[in-house]
PDB file of all heavy atoms in Angstrom:
ATOM      1  N   GLN A  12     -11.625   6.073  -8.266  1.00  0.00           N
ATOM      2  CA  GLN A  12     -12.341   6.322  -9.517  1.00  0.00           C
ATOM      3  C   GLN A  12     -13.838   6.534  -9.259  1.00  0.00           C
ATOM      4  O   GLN A  12     -14.433   5.866  -8.415  1.00  0.00           O
ATOM      5  CB  GLN A  12     -12.194   5.131 -10.461  1.00  0.00           C
ATOM      6  CG  GLN A  12     -10.790   4.805 -10.908  1.00  0.00           C
ATOM      7  CD  GLN A  12     -10.771   3.603 -11.838  1.00  0.00           C
ATOM      8  OE1 GLN A  12     -11.458   3.588 -12.854  1.00  0.00           O
ATOM      9  NE2 GLN A  12      -9.987   2.590 -11.483  1.00  0.00           N
ATOM     10  N   GLY A  13     -14.411   7.447 -10.013  1.00  0.00           N
ATOM     11  CA  GLY A  13     -15.862   7.583 -10.016  1.00  0.00           C
ATOM     12  C   GLY A  13     -16.453   8.388  -8.887  1.00  0.00           C
ATOM     13  O   GLY A  13     -17.679   8.390  -8.710  1.00  0.00           O
ATOM     14  N   PHE A  14     -15.631   9.092  -8.097  1.00  0.00           N
ATOM     15  CA  PHE A  14     -16.155   9.917  -7.013  1.00  0.00           C
ATOM     16  C   PHE A  14     -15.871  11.393  -7.276  1.00  0.00           C
ATOM     17  O   PHE A  14     -14.798  11.760  -7.771  1.00  0.00           O
ATOM     18  CB  PHE A  14     -15.533   9.526  -5.666  1.00  0.00           C
ATOM     19  CG  PHE A  14     -16.092   8.250  -5.097  1.00  0.00           C
ATOM     20  CD1 PHE A  14     -15.428   7.048  -5.302  1.00  0.00           C
ATOM     21  CD2 PHE A  14     -17.278   8.250  -4.379  1.00  0.00           C
ATOM     22  CE1 PHE A  14     -15.935   5.861  -4.793  1.00  0.00           C
ATOM     23  CE2 PHE A  14     -17.790   7.067  -3.875  1.00  0.00           C
ATOM     24  CZ  PHE A  14     -17.123   5.868  -4.070  1.00  0.00           C
ATOM     25  N   LYS A  35     -20.253  12.282  -3.976  1.00  0.00           N
ATOM     26  CA  LYS A  35     -21.138  11.500  -4.844  1.00  0.00           C
ATOM     27  C   LYS A  35     -20.336  10.519  -5.690  1.00  0.00           C
ATOM     28  O   LYS A  35     -19.252  10.840  -6.177  1.00  0.00           O
ATOM     29  CB  LYS A  35     -21.925  12.438  -5.767  1.00  0.00           C
ATOM     30  CG  LYS A  35     -22.829  11.722  -6.774  1.00  0.00           C
ATOM     31  CD  LYS A  35     -23.516  12.698  -7.699  1.00  0.00           C
ATOM     32  CE  LYS A  35     -24.371  11.985  -8.747  1.00  0.00           C
ATOM     33  NZ  LYS A  35     -23.522  11.272  -9.756  1.00  0.00           N
ATOM     34  N   SER A  36     -20.896   9.345  -5.872  1.00  0.00           N
ATOM     35  CA  SER A  36     -20.348   8.354  -6.785  1.00  0.00           C
ATOM     36  C   SER A  36     -21.111   8.389  -8.100  1.00  0.00           C
ATOM     37  O   SER A  36     -22.299   8.723  -8.140  1.00  0.00           O
ATOM     38  CB  SER A  36     -20.452   6.952  -6.178  1.00  0.00           C
ATOM     39  OG  SER A  36     -20.189   5.958  -7.144  1.00  0.00           O
ATOM     40  N   ASP A  37     -20.436   8.023  -9.166  1.00  0.00           N
ATOM     41  CA  ASP A  37     -21.084   7.943 -10.479  1.00  0.00           C
ATOM     42  C   ASP A  37     -22.172   6.877 -10.512  1.00  0.00           C
ATOM     43  O   ASP A  37     -23.111   6.968 -11.309  1.00  0.00           O
ATOM     44  CB  ASP A  37     -20.058   7.608 -11.568  1.00  0.00           C
ATOM     45  CG  ASP A  37     -19.089   8.740 -11.824  1.00  0.00           C
ATOM     46  OD1 ASP A  37     -19.339   9.867 -11.358  1.00  0.00           O
ATOM     47  OD2 ASP A  37     -18.065   8.480 -12.492  1.00  0.00           O
ATOM     48  N   VAL A  38     -22.005   5.860  -9.678  1.00  0.00           N
ATOM     49  CA  VAL A  38     -22.924   4.719  -9.696  1.00  0.00           C
ATOM     50  C   VAL A  38     -23.321   4.358  -8.270  1.00  0.00           C
ATOM     51  O   VAL A  38     -22.701   4.794  -7.301  1.00  0.00           O
ATOM     52  CB  VAL A  38     -22.276   3.491 -10.377  1.00  0.00           C
ATOM     53  CG1 VAL A  38     -21.957   3.782 -11.828  1.00  0.00           C
ATOM     54  CG2 VAL A  38     -21.010   3.065  -9.622  1.00  0.00           C
ATOM     55  N   ILE A  39     -24.356   3.557  -8.158  1.00  0.00           N
ATOM     56  CA  ILE A  39     -24.775   3.049  -6.850  1.00  0.00           C
ATOM     57  C   ILE A  39     -23.628   2.259  -6.217  1.00  0.00           C
ATOM     58  O   ILE A  39     -22.921   1.503  -6.887  1.00  0.00           O
ATOM     59  CB  ILE A  39     -26.000   2.123  -6.993  1.00  0.00           C
ATOM     60  CG1 ILE A  39     -27.229   2.949  -7.371  1.00  0.00           C
ATOM     61  CG2 ILE A  39     -26.254   1.350  -5.717  1.00  0.00           C
ATOM     62  CD1 ILE A  39     -27.868   3.682  -6.220  1.00  0.00           C
ATOM     63  N   CYS A  40     -23.460   2.443  -4.910  1.00  0.00           N
ATOM     64  CA  CYS A  40     -22.354   1.798  -4.188  1.00  0.00           C
ATOM     65  C   CYS A  40     -22.868   0.786  -3.174  1.00  0.00           C
ATOM     66  O   CYS A  40     -23.965   0.942  -2.615  1.00  0.00           O
ATOM     67  CB  CYS A  40     -21.550   2.848  -3.411  1.00  0.00           C
ATOM     68  SG  CYS A  40     -20.844   4.167  -4.392  1.00  0.00           S
ATOM     69  N   ALA A  41     -22.054  -0.220  -2.904  1.00  0.00           N
ATOM     70  CA  ALA A  41     -22.215  -0.969  -1.662  1.00  0.00           C
ATOM     71  C   ALA A  41     -21.851  -0.004  -0.544  1.00  0.00           C
ATOM     72  O   ALA A  41     -20.904   0.781  -0.670  1.00  0.00           O
ATOM     73  CB  ALA A  41     -21.294  -2.175  -1.649  1.00  0.00           C
ATOM     74  N   ALA A  42     -22.606  -0.017   0.533  1.00  0.00           N
ATOM     75  CA  ALA A  42     -22.398   0.981   1.583  1.00  0.00           C
ATOM     76  C   ALA A  42     -22.553   0.357   2.956  1.00  0.00           C
ATOM     77  O   ALA A  42     -23.267  -0.638   3.129  1.00  0.00           O
ATOM     78  CB  ALA A  42     -23.381   2.140   1.412  1.00  0.00           C
ATOM     79  N   ALA A  43     -21.888   0.954   3.929  1.00  0.00           N
ATOM     80  CA  ALA A  43     -21.962   0.473   5.303  1.00  0.00           C
ATOM     81  C   ALA A  43     -21.730   1.648   6.236  1.00  0.00           C
ATOM     82  O   ALA A  43     -21.194   2.692   5.834  1.00  0.00           O
ATOM     83  CB  ALA A  43     -20.924  -0.624   5.557  1.00  0.00           C
ATOM     84  N   LEU A  63     -29.517   2.733   5.098  1.00  0.00           N
ATOM     85  CA  LEU A  63     -28.496   1.739   4.782  1.00  0.00           C
ATOM     86  C   LEU A  63     -28.994   0.301   4.923  1.00  0.00           C
ATOM     87  O   LEU A  63     -28.228  -0.638   4.739  1.00  0.00           O
ATOM     88  CB  LEU A  63     -27.277   1.922   5.690  1.00  0.00           C
ATOM     89  CG  LEU A  63     -26.305   3.043   5.303  1.00  0.00           C
ATOM     90  CD1 LEU A  63     -25.250   3.231   6.394  1.00  0.00           C
ATOM     91  CD2 LEU A  63     -25.629   2.733   3.977  1.00  0.00           C
ATOM     92  N   ASP A  65     -30.639  -1.487   3.033  1.00  0.00           N
ATOM     93  CA  ASP A  65     -30.463  -2.283   1.810  1.00  0.00           C
ATOM     94  C   ASP A  65     -29.002  -2.387   1.391  1.00  0.00           C
ATOM     95  O   ASP A  65     -28.683  -2.983   0.350  1.00  0.00           O
ATOM     96  CB  ASP A  65     -31.286  -1.696   0.662  1.00  0.00           C
ATOM     97  CG  ASP A  65     -30.846  -0.283   0.270  1.00  0.00           C
ATOM     98  OD1 ASP A  65     -29.949   0.276   0.932  1.00  0.00           O
ATOM     99  OD2 ASP A  65     -31.411   0.262  -0.698  1.00  0.00           O
ATOM    100  N   GLY A  66     -28.082  -1.808   2.193  1.00  0.00           N
ATOM    101  CA  GLY A  66     -26.658  -1.913   1.900  1.00  0.00           C
ATOM    102  C   GLY A  66     -26.208  -1.093   0.711  1.00  0.00           C
ATOM    103  O   GLY A  66     -25.145  -1.374   0.136  1.00  0.00           O
ATOM    104  N   GLN A  67     -26.997  -0.066   0.350  1.00  0.00           N
ATOM    105  CA  GLN A  67     -26.653   0.741  -0.811  1.00  0.00           C
ATOM    106  C   GLN A  67     -26.752   2.229  -0.510  1.00  0.00           C
ATOM    107  O   GLN A  67     -27.549   2.659   0.326  1.00  0.00           O
ATOM    108  CB  GLN A  67     -27.591   0.425  -1.987  1.00  0.00           C
ATOM    109  CG  GLN A  67     -27.461  -0.969  -2.553  1.00  0.00           C
ATOM    110  CD  GLN A  67     -28.315  -1.153  -3.788  1.00  0.00           C
ATOM    111  OE1 GLN A  67     -29.329  -0.476  -3.971  1.00  0.00           O
ATOM    112  NE2 GLN A  67     -27.918  -2.072  -4.645  1.00  0.00           N
ATOM    113  N   ALA A  68     -25.940   3.015  -1.210  1.00  0.00           N
ATOM    114  CA  ALA A  68     -26.025   4.473  -1.183  1.00  0.00           C
ATOM    115  C   ALA A  68     -25.211   4.994  -2.357  1.00  0.00           C
ATOM    116  O   ALA A  68     -24.393   4.261  -2.938  1.00  0.00           O
ATOM    117  CB  ALA A  68     -25.516   5.042   0.129  1.00  0.00           C
ATOM    118  N   GLN A  69     -25.436   6.268  -2.695  1.00  0.00           N
ATOM    119  CA  GLN A  69     -24.674   6.837  -3.805  1.00  0.00           C
ATOM    120  C   GLN A  69     -24.092   8.205  -3.472  1.00  0.00           C
ATOM    121  O   GLN A  69     -23.192   8.673  -4.163  1.00  0.00           O
ATOM    122  CB  GLN A  69     -25.554   6.940  -5.061  1.00  0.00           C
ATOM    123  CG  GLN A  69     -24.759   7.229  -6.334  1.00  0.00           C
ATOM    124  CD  GLN A  69     -25.572   7.061  -7.605  1.00  0.00           C
ATOM    125  OE1 GLN A  69     -26.665   6.489  -7.575  1.00  0.00           O
ATOM    126  NE2 GLN A  69     -25.053   7.540  -8.726  1.00  0.00           N
ATOM    127  N   ALA A  70     -24.602   8.848  -2.413  1.00  0.00           N
ATOM    128  CA  ALA A  70     -24.108  10.186  -2.083  1.00  0.00           C
ATOM    129  C   ALA A  70     -24.234  10.448  -0.590  1.00  0.00           C
ATOM    130  O   ALA A  70     -25.023   9.803   0.114  1.00  0.00           O
ATOM    131  CB  ALA A  70     -24.881  11.250  -2.866  1.00  0.00           C
ATOM    132  N   ASN A 107     -30.972   6.849  -1.337  1.00  0.00           N
ATOM    133  CA  ASN A 107     -29.559   6.619  -1.641  1.00  0.00           C
ATOM    134  C   ASN A 107     -28.671   7.795  -1.260  1.00  0.00           C
ATOM    135  O   ASN A 107     -27.501   7.836  -1.644  1.00  0.00           O
ATOM    136  CB  ASN A 107     -29.391   6.292  -3.129  1.00  0.00           C
ATOM    137  CG  ASN A 107     -29.921   4.917  -3.471  1.00  0.00           C
ATOM    138  OD1 ASN A 107     -29.851   3.996  -2.662  1.00  0.00           O
ATOM    139  ND2 ASN A 107     -30.479   4.774  -4.666  1.00  0.00           N
ATOM    140  N   ILE A 192     -15.566   7.458   3.979  1.00  0.00           N
ATOM    141  CA  ILE A 192     -14.559   6.678   3.261  1.00  0.00           C
ATOM    142  C   ILE A 192     -15.129   6.287   1.904  1.00  0.00           C
ATOM    143  O   ILE A 192     -16.291   5.880   1.805  1.00  0.00           O
ATOM    144  CB  ILE A 192     -14.176   5.422   4.058  1.00  0.00           C
ATOM    145  CG1 ILE A 192     -13.737   5.793   5.485  1.00  0.00           C
ATOM    146  CG2 ILE A 192     -13.057   4.649   3.350  1.00  0.00           C
ATOM    147  CD1 ILE A 192     -13.616   4.609   6.421  1.00  0.00           C
ATOM    148  N   THR A 193     -14.314   6.408   0.886  1.00  0.00           N
ATOM    149  CA  THR A 193     -14.712   5.990  -0.462  1.00  0.00           C
ATOM    150  C   THR A 193     -13.683   5.004  -1.001  1.00  0.00           C
ATOM    151  O   THR A 193     -12.500   5.092  -0.676  1.00  0.00           O
ATOM    152  CB  THR A 193     -14.790   7.193  -1.408  1.00  0.00           C
ATOM    153  OG1 THR A 193     -13.503   7.835  -1.469  1.00  0.00           O
ATOM    154  CG2 THR A 193     -15.821   8.202  -0.943  1.00  0.00           C
ATOM    155  N   THR A 194     -14.133   4.080  -1.813  1.00  0.00           N
ATOM    156  CA  THR A 194     -13.212   3.160  -2.472  1.00  0.00           C
ATOM    157  C   THR A 194     -13.809   2.694  -3.790  1.00  0.00           C
ATOM    158  O   THR A 194     -15.040   2.617  -3.931  1.00  0.00           O
ATOM    159  CB  THR A 194     -12.876   1.948  -1.586  1.00  0.00           C
ATOM    160  OG1 THR A 194     -11.969   1.080  -2.288  1.00  0.00           O
ATOM    161  CG2 THR A 194     -14.116   1.153  -1.211  1.00  0.00           C
ATOM    162  N   ASP A 195     -12.926   2.417  -4.733  1.00  0.00           N
ATOM    163  CA  ASP A 195     -13.392   1.860  -6.010  1.00  0.00           C
ATOM    164  C   ASP A 195     -13.251   0.339  -6.047  1.00  0.00           C
ATOM    165  O   ASP A 195     -13.386  -0.287  -7.094  1.00  0.00           O
ATOM    166  CB  ASP A 195     -12.664   2.513  -7.189  1.00  0.00           C
ATOM    167  CG  ASP A 195     -11.153   2.546  -7.030  1.00  0.00           C
ATOM    168  OD1 ASP A 195     -10.622   1.735  -6.242  1.00  0.00           O
ATOM    169  OD2 ASP A 195     -10.502   3.377  -7.681  1.00  0.00           O
ATOM    170  N   ALA A 196     -12.995  -0.268  -4.891  1.00  0.00           N
ATOM    171  CA  ALA A 196     -12.932  -1.727  -4.797  1.00  0.00           C
ATOM    172  C   ALA A 196     -14.313  -2.336  -5.028  1.00  0.00           C
ATOM    173  O   ALA A 196     -15.347  -1.703  -4.793  1.00  0.00           O
ATOM    174  CB  ALA A 196     -12.405  -2.146  -3.430  1.00  0.00           C
ATOM    175  N   VAL A 198     -16.721  -4.718  -3.547  1.00  0.00           N
ATOM    176  CA  VAL A 198     -16.989  -5.392  -2.268  1.00  0.00           C
ATOM    177  C   VAL A 198     -18.498  -5.485  -2.087  1.00  0.00           C
ATOM    178  O   VAL A 198     -19.215  -4.521  -2.371  1.00  0.00           O
ATOM    179  CB  VAL A 198     -16.405  -4.593  -1.079  1.00  0.00           C
ATOM    180  CG1 VAL A 198     -16.402  -5.438   0.186  1.00  0.00           C
ATOM    181  CG2 VAL A 198     -15.028  -4.056  -1.377  1.00  0.00           C
ATOM    182  N   ASP A 199     -18.984  -6.620  -1.605  1.00  0.00           N
ATOM    183  CA  ASP A 199     -20.421  -6.662  -1.324  1.00  0.00           C
ATOM    184  C   ASP A 199     -20.682  -6.024   0.042  1.00  0.00           C
ATOM    185  O   ASP A 199     -19.799  -5.933   0.903  1.00  0.00           O
ATOM    186  CB  ASP A 199     -20.991  -8.075  -1.446  1.00  0.00           C
ATOM    187  CG  ASP A 199     -20.551  -9.040  -0.368  1.00  0.00           C
ATOM    188  OD1 ASP A 199     -20.205  -8.608   0.748  1.00  0.00           O
ATOM    189  OD2 ASP A 199     -20.545 -10.256  -0.631  1.00  0.00           O
ATOM    190  N   SER A 200     -21.895  -5.545   0.235  1.00  0.00           N
ATOM    191  CA  SER A 200     -22.192  -4.732   1.417  1.00  0.00           C
ATOM    192  C   SER A 200     -22.099  -5.491   2.745  1.00  0.00           C
ATOM    193  O   SER A 200     -21.625  -4.918   3.734  1.00  0.00           O
ATOM    194  CB  SER A 200     -23.553  -4.064   1.282  1.00  0.00           C
ATOM    195  OG  SER A 200     -24.577  -4.989   1.046  1.00  0.00           O
ATOM    196  N   LEU A 203     -18.511  -5.502   3.524  1.00  0.00           N
ATOM    197  CA  LEU A 203     -18.064  -4.133   3.799  1.00  0.00           C
ATOM    198  C   LEU A 203     -18.416  -3.720   5.221  1.00  0.00           C
ATOM    199  O   LEU A 203     -17.623  -3.060   5.902  1.00  0.00           O
ATOM    200  CB  LEU A 203     -18.710  -3.183   2.790  1.00  0.00           C
ATOM    201  CG  LEU A 203     -18.108  -1.792   2.639  1.00  0.00           C
ATOM    202  CD1 LEU A 203     -16.673  -1.863   2.141  1.00  0.00           C
ATOM    203  CD2 LEU A 203     -18.962  -0.960   1.686  1.00  0.00           C
ATOM    204  N   ILE A 232     -18.978   4.342   4.638  1.00  0.00           N
ATOM    205  CA  ILE A 232     -18.098   3.929   3.547  1.00  0.00           C
ATOM    206  C   ILE A 232     -18.932   3.597   2.319  1.00  0.00           C
ATOM    207  O   ILE A 232     -19.981   2.955   2.425  1.00  0.00           O
ATOM    208  CB  ILE A 232     -17.206   2.738   3.956  1.00  0.00           C
ATOM    209  CG1 ILE A 232     -16.222   2.397   2.826  1.00  0.00           C
ATOM    210  CG2 ILE A 232     -18.017   1.533   4.381  1.00  0.00           C
ATOM    211  CD1 ILE A 232     -15.122   1.434   3.252  1.00  0.00           C
ATOM    212  N   LEU A 233     -18.465   4.070   1.174  1.00  0.00           N
ATOM    213  CA  LEU A 233     -19.092   3.789  -0.119  1.00  0.00           C
ATOM    214  C   LEU A 233     -18.074   3.072  -1.001  1.00  0.00           C
ATOM    215  O   LEU A 233     -16.943   3.542  -1.147  1.00  0.00           O
ATOM    216  CB  LEU A 233     -19.524   5.081  -0.815  1.00  0.00           C
ATOM    217  CG  LEU A 233     -20.471   6.030  -0.054  1.00  0.00           C
ATOM    218  CD1 LEU A 233     -20.764   7.253  -0.912  1.00  0.00           C
ATOM    219  CD2 LEU A 233     -21.761   5.320   0.326  1.00  0.00           C
ATOM    220  N   ALA A 234     -18.474   1.952  -1.587  1.00  0.00           N
ATOM    221  CA  ALA A 234     -17.602   1.191  -2.484  1.00  0.00           C
ATOM    222  C   ALA A 234     -18.315   1.044  -3.827  1.00  0.00           C
ATOM    223  O   ALA A 234     -19.335   0.352  -3.919  1.00  0.00           O
ATOM    224  CB  ALA A 234     -17.288  -0.178  -1.894  1.00  0.00           C
ATOM    225  N   ASN A 235     -17.778   1.718  -4.866  1.00  0.00           N
ATOM    226  CA  ASN A 235     -18.505   1.742  -6.145  1.00  0.00           C
ATOM    227  C   ASN A 235     -18.043   0.693  -7.154  1.00  0.00           C
ATOM    228  O   ASN A 235     -18.639   0.556  -8.226  1.00  0.00           O
ATOM    229  CB  ASN A 235     -18.463   3.138  -6.770  1.00  0.00           C
ATOM    230  CG  ASN A 235     -17.067   3.572  -7.196  1.00  0.00           C
ATOM    231  OD1 ASN A 235     -16.133   2.777  -7.241  1.00  0.00           O
ATOM    232  ND2 ASN A 235     -16.924   4.860  -7.512  1.00  0.00           N
ATOM    233  N   GLY A 236     -16.960  -0.050  -6.859  1.00  0.00           N
ATOM    234  CA  GLY A 236     -16.536  -1.143  -7.723  1.00  0.00           C
ATOM    235  C   GLY A 236     -15.930  -0.728  -9.044  1.00  0.00           C
ATOM    236  O   GLY A 236     -15.705  -1.579  -9.921  1.00  0.00           O
ATOM    237  N   LYS A 237     -15.620   0.559  -9.227  1.00  0.00           N
ATOM    238  CA  LYS A 237     -15.126   1.039 -10.519  1.00  0.00           C
ATOM    239  C   LYS A 237     -13.731   0.509 -10.866  1.00  0.00           C
ATOM    240  O   LYS A 237     -13.329   0.543 -12.031  1.00  0.00           O
ATOM    241  CB  LYS A 237     -15.104   2.567 -10.531  1.00  0.00           C
ATOM    242  CG  LYS A 237     -16.469   3.216 -10.366  1.00  0.00           C
ATOM    243  CD  LYS A 237     -17.278   3.219 -11.634  1.00  0.00           C
ATOM    244  CE  LYS A 237     -16.902   4.375 -12.513  1.00  0.00           C
ATOM    245  NZ  LYS A 237     -17.807   4.566 -13.655  1.00  0.00           N
TER     246      LYS A 237
END
Side-chain angles (χ1 to χ4, degrees):
Q12 298 180 55
F14 284 96
K35 177 183 177 290
S36 168
D37 291 347
V38 297
I39 290 281
C40 302
L63 281 172
D65 63 356
Q67 294 186 334
Q69 193 169 346
N107 289 327
I192 306 168
T193 59
T194 180
D195 49 21
V198 193
D199 70 26
S200 56
L203 196 63
I232 184 168
L233 304 179
N235 66 12
K237 298 281 277 190

